[in-house]
Amino acid sequence: MLSAADNNLLTTTGPGTAMGALFRRFWLPALLSRELPEPDGPPKKLRLLGEDLLAFRDTNGRVGLVDPRCPHRGANLYYGRNEEGGLRCAFHGWKFDVGGRCLQATTFPQDEKYPDLLPKLGLHAYPVEEAGGIIWAYLGPPDLRPPLPRLELLELASDHRFASKKLQECNWAQACDGALDTAHFSFLHMSVGEDMQSAATMSQSEAAASGDSNRLRWMRDDGMPRFSFVEHPAGVVMGAARHADGEDLYWRISQFLFPNHALVPSTFPGETYHSQIFVPIDDDSCWIYCTSWNPARPIGPAERARYEAGHSIYANVDADYIPIRRRANDYLLDRDEQKRRSFTGIKGVSEQDQAIQDSQGFIADRTREHLGPTDAGVVRFRRLMLDAAKALAAGHEPAAAQAAEAFCVRGGGAVAHRDVPLADVMRSRFGDPAGLISKNGNPHV
Ligand code: FES
Ligand SMILES: [Fe+2]
């Protein structure tokens, strides 16, 4: 459990909060690239860490992320015209470029003072970078702006990766809690079919998310995995070990990366890797950016179509990335299905996660929890974030923000003898105890 003060610290990220300051030391996904599909297309409203912003793509394809209020008299630039080289306010025609610079202030006479005036009339704009199909934003102090984290996703050609997102109607931290609590798969995502094969076909996404029937069986039979950790400069490796067959353990190894990434623990060699990034919209909701990458082979059309339709970490979403099964319709819970076939009666691994995380409240009350050994990953994540936010408030910058190279890590599944510790499981699975991918490529795909 947490104290009320720590729960508040963990979950509030608006301007002026300690956790908000920590988030503002890192690059955060602001939009998918495909949400601004064309030069001079419609601008896009968004809310990030409690700040209302406006994004637009200019004639040259560059993206601007700006304060939406026009400095003339406060009209919202969302209604503006995205014209040659900038966005023009629809009220009286002031025009701004992607850096927020005022190009024309049409209500002032263009005399010799005009060039001196323009620099004073700009919009606040945040730095933006585009990589991996995602538009990344940095909302922190300009002099502390770090390089983009070197995520493996960003290293690969576009045919080897996929990215989408889904709305989550609760606080970012409990969604991240849920992703790092890998023990819950033994219950939340399980089927209640008679045999494992029918159980696996009953829920395709469940079977695919967990690999094969052995993995499903090991997860079903051991609902109390034992956690081990390996800390590294970008975050922490979280290994959860279940009994497998004979003297072996089945390891599901996730990673938490600062400040909001959770790597999916299920991937075996050759399979596709996945990660979720939890981005606060405000304190009651977040976008979960879902990313997948496969260093061994391109992600083909059939696999992409599955992700687009809702599969594994991907929800079935509408054109605005809002899940079809959501709070407002109780996730289309089917009680008959729950009685006969699936533990929840809710279709989709992602929607099962979403339902149960939303059900903890818009902001979970962590003062009333009773945490046990299988909550060790959740405890570690919260402690890292709370310690980093408190340290920053005391004047100590988070080292992870500048450790871009350390973010190129993998998590995944492995089977090993019960005497092998996590660091050695990581070495044999990924070639490095932190799962770090060498710059020269890595044979452990
Ligand atoms: S309010 Fe934008 S130009 Fe007047
Ligand atoms: Fe889950």
Side-chain angles (χ1 to χ4, degrees):
M1 63 180 266
L2 291 182
S3 68
D6 275 355
N7 199 38
N8 187 57
L9 172 56
L10 180 68
T11 55
T12 54
T13 57
T17 62
M19 192 56 71
L22 183 62
F23 266 82
R24 285 169 175 79
R25 295 303 196 266
F26 294 86
W27 286 93
L28 304 172
L31 288 173
L32 295 167
S33 289
R34 62 178 181 267
E35 292 185 87
L36 294 176
E38 63 200 6
D40 296 337
K44 181 94 187 154
K45 291 177 194 171
L46 66 134
R47 196 164 162 77
L48 184 55
L49 305 179
E51 298 184 36
D52 286 316
L53 299 167
L54 189 67
F56 66 102
R57 193 183 290 281
D58 76 1
T59 313
N60 296 320
R62 294 174 307 177
V63 173
L65 183 64
V66 297
D67 181 345
R69 287 171 294 269
C70 178
H72 176 217
R73 278 177 39 210
N76 196 311
L77 290 160
Y78 171 72
Y79 299 98
R81 297 174 54 83
N82 193 3
E83 296 179 348
E84 175 70 34
L87 190 61
R88 190 182 289 281
C89 181
F91 206 171
H92 315 94
W94 287 26
K95 184 172 176 180
F96 307 91
D97 72 6
V98 288
R101 284 170 288 272
C102 186
L103 303 175
Q104 282 180 347
T106 43
T107 54
F108 286 93
Q110 296 195 30
D111 60 13
E112 71 281 359
K113 288 190 188 146
Y114 193 70
D116 299 335
L117 190 61
L118 285 185
K120 302 188 181 94
L121 303 179
L123 296 169
H124 186 69
Y126 288 120
V128 164
E129 291 207 29
E130 209 165 354
I134 292 172
I135 296 168
W136 301 81
Y138 174 70
L139 274 57
D143 54 326
L144 295 174
R145 174 175 157 185
L148 264 189
R150 199 182 141 239
L151 301 167
E152 188 174 24
L153 173 86
L154 310 185
E155 306 272 301
L156 296 173
S158 61
D159 59 341
H160 284 252
R161 54 175 162 79
F162 181 83
S164 188
K165 68 179 190 179
K166 58 192 180 187
L167 179 71
Q168 175 88 28
E169 296 174 278
C170 72
N171 183 262
W172 79 276
Q174 79 211 47
C176 195
D177 272 354
L180 297 169
D181 157 33
T182 59
H184 76 255
F185 209 112
S186 297
F187 300 92
L188 183 70
H189 302 310
M190 274 296 145
S191 56
V192 291
E194 296 256 302
D195 66 61
M196 202 42 74
Q197 204 47 47
S198 71
T201 49
M202 186 270 314
S203 167
Q204 281 186 357
S205 54
E206 180 179 288
S210 56
D212 62 16
S213 59
N214 275 340
R215 294 183 229 170
L216 277 174
R217 176 168 56 81
W218 296 329
M219 282 196 283
R220 166 177 280 186
D221 291 349
D222 186 351
M224 239 173 51
R226 278 73 54 201
F227 278 78
S228 311
F229 303 96
V230 178
E231 289 209 11
H232 59 78
V236 59
V237 180
M238 300 186 174
R242 288 173 166 87
H243 297 295
D245 296 325
E247 299 195 333
D248 285 345
L249 294 176
Y250 168 38
W251 285 91
R252 298 180 78 237
I253 305 168
S254 62
Q255 295 237 20
F256 166 68
L257 306 177
F258 277 99
N260 57 348
H261 302 242
L263 271 52
V264 168
S266 53
T267 307
F268 270 57
E271 297 175 356
T272 298
Y273 291 88
H274 308 286
S275 171
Q276 298 187 90
I277 313 171
F278 303 87
V279 186
I281 298 169
D282 49 32
D283 296 336
D284 289 338
S285 62
C286 59
W287 287 112
I288 304 178
Y289 282 76
C290 303
T291 69
S292 300
W293 66 99
N294 195 318
R297 58 166 174 79
I299 295 178
E303 189 175 350
R304 282 171 199 277
R306 278 204 302 281
Y307 298 156
E308 267 157 19
H311 175 81
S312 176
I313 57 169
Y314 295 93
N316 181 13
V317 294
D318 67 15
D320 296 318
Y321 303 95
I322 315 285
I324 304 300
R325 300 185 281 285
R326 55 180 183 262
R327 257 189 200 276
N329 56 23
D330 274 334
Y331 315 90
L332 305 181
L333 189 161
D334 180 336
R335 292 292 184 191
D336 185 53
E337 189 77 3
Q338 186 176 35
K339 201 168 268 291
R340 295 188 299 110
R341 302 178 84 177
S342 90
F343 202 76
T344 57
I346 293 168
K347 202 169 160 226
V349 166
S350 171
E351 286 85 346
Q352 292 161 3
D353 285 329
Q354 177 197 339
I356 216 66
Q357 291 159 13
D358 286 353
S359 81
Q360 295 173 291
F362 283 99
I363 300 179
D365 182 356
R366 293 175 178 75
T367 67
R368 298 169 58 184
E369 296 174 329
H370 298 84
L371 302 181
T374 69
D375 301 303
V378 166
V379 170
R380 182 68 69 115
F381 148 65
R382 296 174 184 175
R383 184 49 52 204
L384 281 173
M385 286 299 282
L386 288 168
D387 287 352
K390 288 174 186 174
L392 178 57
H396 307 290
E397 291 294 325
Q402 302 294 335
E405 296 293 320
F407 282 75
C408 197
V409 292
R410 293 179 189 155
V415 176
H417 187 270
R418 67 185 179 203
D419 293 338
V420 181
L422 176 60
D424 290 338
V425 174
M426 290 296 287
R427 263 188 210 97
S428 70
R429 173 73 181 82
F430 299 111
D432 179 83
L436 193 68
I437 304 310
S438 139
K439 260 202 155 157
N440 306 319
N442 195 306
H444 302 259
V445 293

